[in-house]
């Protein structure tokens, strides 16, 4: 304890609990010895340590402890700066998305809060609202991007929370207020505040899982989808039909799970909007309608037009998602009259800490790559026969994605399968089904943990998570029913529907054109 009683020790990881500081320090001391003993085992332990820092995100933001682990891995030679930079280059589209798209959504928050306030005030039924959030997130994620959709829902939820928190603290709508300080909340309102937090937690989890339901379906739904589509030479339509035998049953089961969770009210679901909170939101809606100026109405119209441009730009993939986000910033600030640098700077406060954490995550991914941590799984899959390869690949990708990162796992395995096809180890039919298994495996079971999907991790480390008390373990527990129903449905679809559906599509000539992969023998194609 004396180590952390002096000024330098107290500064180490700031206000984190003493036990947490000792744990991180123990990791840093033990890792070099583990690396000398068994580099492969040390690599896996480092991954688990990093996951621990994510799980303790509410005790200490993972950037600092995770960054220390990444720096130590570099100094120990577990990876190299060149490999880390290579991983960052591969993840540049996601980094651009976080930096610019999330900031762009910030300037549309007035329109989003307007629309969603109307929605909540007019749809008091929690089950209907949950289904709308989940289905809307799925549809938007299929055409836009899961992180973008998550940013939208986070912005809306923070807006709702701040409105109620301000009134519950005895202030009027026009007063300035720190919604992160519960000391100001009246004791009589604390019970309703906890109920409101539970309500928002369940909606956020329904929406977050919804992004996975839609993200698996299309070429632009998730970053790894683009990579898989490129390796397989599938266009947007073919990608959708390839995934449909698995993605559509999972989508239906996902929505049925929403109904089941809201009806049974298990693991934190089923919380309804407290009547007092609903009344405040309705009063706020009326207050805004009465006092909205002509300039503010013009601003809402401008935000709506920019939102239309955002949807069109993303649907037709006119540019990288991050660059479209930058265009949103330019257009929104121009027509909303936001010209001061400090006002623009506020838009980047939410995304940049997470962007930094993501770069640290790429360093951990580099450790996985340089130490071939997943190679035994790959070798085992290719040692199996026939359809066992496909189902095992789905399970392996799901498990590895849940503990690491679905983009990285998909990259590793689609490259391995493309190489196996080029070398004649597998035929084109097998490759096509493996590509589907990789995409669905990395997108569906990965909802089990926040580190499995960037959208989940973004939610966990957002400003909203501590406000609504959404911790790592709470996310894991609330995601568990979805993980079970969706992962099992996906597995059964891979085993019983994927191969017959693939043969049917060819027999019915639904897919009329097929381009061979580089190195693929002509007789192996269709």
């Amino acid at each position: 304890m004396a180590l952390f009683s002096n000024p330098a020790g107290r500064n180490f990881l700031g206000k984190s609990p003493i036990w947490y500081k000792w744990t991180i320090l123990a990791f840093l001391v033990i890792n070099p010895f583990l690396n000398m003993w068994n580099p492969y085992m040390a690599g896996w332990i480092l991954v688990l340590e990093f996951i621990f820092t994510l799980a303790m995100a509410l005790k200490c933001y993972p950037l600092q402890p995770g960054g220390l682990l990444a720096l130590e891995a570099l100094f120990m030679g577990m990876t190299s700066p060149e490999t880390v930079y290579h991983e960052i280059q591969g993840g540049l589209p996601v980094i651009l998305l976080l930096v610019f798209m999330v900031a762009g959504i910030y300037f549309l928050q007035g329109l989003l809060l307007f629309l969603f306030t109307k929605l909540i005030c007019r749809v008091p039924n929690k089950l209907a609202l949950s289904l709308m959030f989940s289905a809307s997130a799925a549809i938007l994620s299929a055409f836009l991007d899961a992180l973008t959709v998550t940013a939208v829902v986070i912005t809306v939820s923070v807006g709702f929370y701040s409105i109620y928190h301000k009134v519950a603290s005895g202030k009027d709508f026009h007063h300035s207020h720190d919604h992160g300080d519960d000391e100001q909340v009246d004791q009589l309102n604390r019970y309703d505040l906890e109920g409101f937090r539970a309500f928002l937690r369940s909606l956020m989890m329904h929406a977050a899982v919804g992004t996975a339901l839609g993200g698996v379906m299309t070429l632009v739904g998730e970053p790894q989808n683009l990579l898989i589509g490129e390796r397989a030479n599938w266009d947007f339509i073919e990608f959708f039909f390839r995934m449909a035998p698995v993605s559509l049953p999972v989508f239906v089961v996902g929505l049925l799970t929403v109904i089941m969770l809201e009806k049974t009210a298990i693991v934190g679901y089923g919380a309804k909007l407290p009547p007092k909170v609903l009344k405040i939101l309705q009063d706020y809606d009326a207050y805004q309608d009465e006092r909205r100026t002509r300039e503010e109405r013009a601003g809402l119209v401008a935000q709506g037009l920019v939102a239309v441009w955002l949807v069109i730009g993303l649907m037709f993939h006119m540019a990288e998602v991050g660059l479209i986000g930058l265009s949103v910033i330019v257009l929104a600030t121009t027509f909303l009259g936001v010209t001061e640098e400090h006002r623009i700077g506020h838009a980047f406060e939410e995304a940049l800490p997470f962007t930094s954490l993501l770069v640290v995550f790429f360093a951990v991914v580099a450790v996985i790559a340089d130490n071939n941590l997943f190679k035994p799984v790959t070798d085992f899959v290719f040692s199996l026969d026939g359809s066992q390869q496909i189902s095992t690949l789905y399970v392996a990708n799901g498990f590895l994605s849940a503990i690491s990162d679905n983009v990285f796992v998909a990259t590793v395995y689609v490259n391995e399968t493309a190489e196996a096809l080029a070398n004649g180890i597998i035929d084109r039919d097998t490759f096509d089904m493996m590509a589907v298994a990789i995409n669905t495996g990395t997108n569906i079971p990965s909802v089990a943990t926040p580190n499995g999907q960037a959208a989940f991790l973004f939610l966990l480390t957002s400003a909203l998570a501590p406000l609504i008390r959404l911790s790592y373990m709470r996310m894991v527990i609330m995601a568990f029913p979805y993980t079970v129903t969706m992962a099992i449905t996906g597995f059964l679809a891979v085993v019983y529907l994927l191969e017959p559906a693939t043969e049917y599509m060819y027999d019915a000539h639904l897919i009329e054109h097929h381009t061979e992969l580089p190195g693929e023998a002509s007789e192996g194609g269709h």
Side-chain angles (χ1 to χ4, degrees):
M1 291 297 180
L3 180 63
F4 297 115
S5 61
N6 61 72
R10 287 195 296 271
N11 285 339
F12 180 74
L13 296 182
K15 296 181 179 179
S16 304
I18 296 295
W19 68 264
Y20 185 82
K21 296 183 180 185
W22 276 113
T23 303
I24 298 300
L25 195 61
F27 289 164
L28 296 172
V29 171
I30 292 170
N31 286 341
F33 296 101
L34 290 174
N35 192 46
M36 289 186 289
W37 170 61
N38 188 325
Y40 182 82
M41 184 65 68
W44 269 112
I45 289 175
L46 183 81
V47 171
L48 294 176
E49 289 170 351
F50 183 73
I51 292 172
F52 171 80
T53 67
L54 298 178
M56 295 291 109
L58 297 185
K59 300 293 184 185
C60 176
Y61 192 72
L63 175 62
Q64 292 81 16
L68 289 173
L69 293 171
L71 286 171
E72 184 180 54
L74 283 165
F75 283 120
M76 291 190 301
M78 298 179 76
T79 187
S80 66
E82 292 75 22
T83 305
V84 175
Y85 185 65
H86 174 72
E87 295 296 339
I88 292 171
Q89 285 180 310
L92 186 59
V94 181
I95 293 173
L96 287 175
L97 183 151
L98 282 169
V99 172
F100 295 125
M101 184 61 77
V102 175
I105 295 300
Y106 175 88
F107 293 108
L108 301 181
Q109 62 182 336
L111 175 66
L112 295 171
L113 190 57
F114 171 80
L115 294 175
F116 279 88
T117 301
K118 298 289 185 187
L119 178 65
I120 284 189
C121 290
R122 286 161 173 73
V123 185
N125 184 284
K126 176 64 186 307
L127 176 57
L129 199 60
S130 298
L131 283 170
M132 290 176 68
F133 264 70
S134 183
S136 299
I139 293 168
L140 289 172
S141 295
F143 293 99
L144 306 182
D145 177 89
L147 276 171
T148 304
V149 176
T150 304
V152 168
V153 183
I154 288 172
T155 299
V156 169
S157 296
V158 170
F160 287 151
Y161 183 86
S162 62
I163 291 167
Y164 175 71
H165 200 278
K166 183 184 296 185
V167 176
S169 300
K171 298 180 180 179
D172 291 330
F173 294 131
H174 63 276
H175 288 154
S176 59
H177 178 66
D178 177 13
H179 55 255
D181 183 10
D182 283 355
E183 292 298 322
Q184 303 176 53
V185 178
D186 190 286
Q187 288 293 335
L188 297 175
N189 294 322
R190 293 189 177 238
Y191 178 79
D192 286 328
L193 178 61
E194 290 304 317
F196 190 32
R197 282 172 172 153
F199 172 82
L200 288 177
R201 278 197 303 268
S202 61
L203 278 187
M204 287 304 303
M205 287 303 297
H206 288 315
V209 175
T211 64
L213 290 173
V216 68
M217 290 185 176
T218 66
L219 193 63
V220 296
E222 292 279 354
Q224 70 267 27
N225 299 17
L226 284 168
L227 176 68
I228 292 169
E230 177 188 350
R231 291 288 187 275
N233 289 311
W234 294 339
D235 60 20
F236 189 94
I237 299 299
E238 183 171 0
F239 188 97
F240 175 81
F241 279 111
R242 292 281 186 185
M243 300 302 153
V246 182
S247 63
L248 292 182
V250 170
F251 176 75
V252 172
V253 168
L255 294 184
L256 291 175
T257 305
V258 173
I259 297 172
M260 182 271 291
L261 291 173
E262 288 299 320
K263 289 290 188 181
T264 58
I266 60 173
V267 295
Y269 292 99
K272 292 179 171 56
L273 185 63
K276 286 185 180 179
V277 179
L278 177 59
K279 180 66 168 59
I280 288 173
L281 293 179
Q282 289 171 337
D283 291 345
Y284 174 78
D285 186 36
Y287 172 86
Q288 290 292 89
D289 287 343
E290 290 173 5
R291 288 161 177 77
R292 189 168 289 113
T293 64
R294 294 175 66 182
E295 287 76 13
E296 289 171 337
R297 290 191 182 94
L300 288 176
V301 172
Q303 291 177 60
L305 293 174
V306 174
V308 170
W309 152 246
L310 170 64
V311 172
I312 292 173
L314 290 173
M315 281 184 64
F316 293 98
H317 201 62
M318 293 181 174
E320 280 293 341
V321 176
L323 298 181
I324 295 174
L326 179 57
S327 74
V328 168
I329 295 173
V330 172
L331 293 171
T333 54
T334 299
F335 293 103
L336 292 176
V338 181
T339 56
E340 299 86 353
E341 182 181 1
H342 69 277
R343 290 181 64 192
I344 296 173
H346 286 310
F348 294 88
E349 292 177 357
E350 175 73 18
L352 286 183
F354 181 72
T355 306
S356 303
L357 176 61
L358 189 65
V359 173
V360 171
F361 188 81
F362 287 139
V364 177
V365 168
V367 172
I368 295 173
D370 279 349
N371 291 273
N372 296 312
L373 299 187
F374 293 169
K375 191 174 188 304
V377 180
T378 309
D379 294 341
F380 173 71
V381 169
F382 286 123
S383 70
L384 299 174
D385 296 324
S387 60
Q388 284 184 314
Q389 290 182 332
I390 313 301
S391 56
T392 304
L393 198 58
Y394 171 87
V395 173
N397 276 262
F399 172 75
L400 294 173
S401 293
I403 63 171
S404 58
D405 170 62
N406 56 3
V407 177
F408 171 72
V409 174
T411 302
V412 170
Y413 281 97
V414 77
N415 287 339
E416 291 283 345
T417 52
E419 184 178 347
L421 174 62
N423 294 333
I425 298 174
I426 59 175
D427 59 21
R428 177 67 205 210
D429 279 347
T430 303
F431 172 83
D432 288 337
M433 288 188 287
M434 282 187 166
V436 175
I438 291 169
N439 187 65
T440 53
T442 54
N443 275 299
I444 297 169
S446 57
V447 302
T449 66
N451 38 292
Q453 297 204 17
F456 278 49
L457 188 58
F458 182 45
L459 172 58
L460 175 67
T461 57
S462 70
L464 176 66
L467 296 179
I468 61 175
R469 307 299 188 260
L470 186 60
S471 65
Y472 185 99
M473 285 311 300
R474 194 186 290 270
M475 284 188 75
V476 170
I477 292 169
M478 294 183 75
F480 180 74
Y482 278 113
T483 305
V484 172
T485 59
M486 290 165 54
I488 291 176
T489 302
F491 177 79
L492 294 175
V494 165
V495 173
Y496 295 108
L497 298 179
L498 180 57
E499 189 168 358
T502 302
E503 293 174 357
Y504 172 79
M505 282 192 293
Y506 281 118
D507 293 340
H509 303 290
L510 290 178
I511 300 172
E512 299 177 356
H513 302 288
H514 178 76
T515 308
E516 293 178 357
L517 294 178
E520 180 185 356
S522 59
E523 61 269 22
H526 291 281

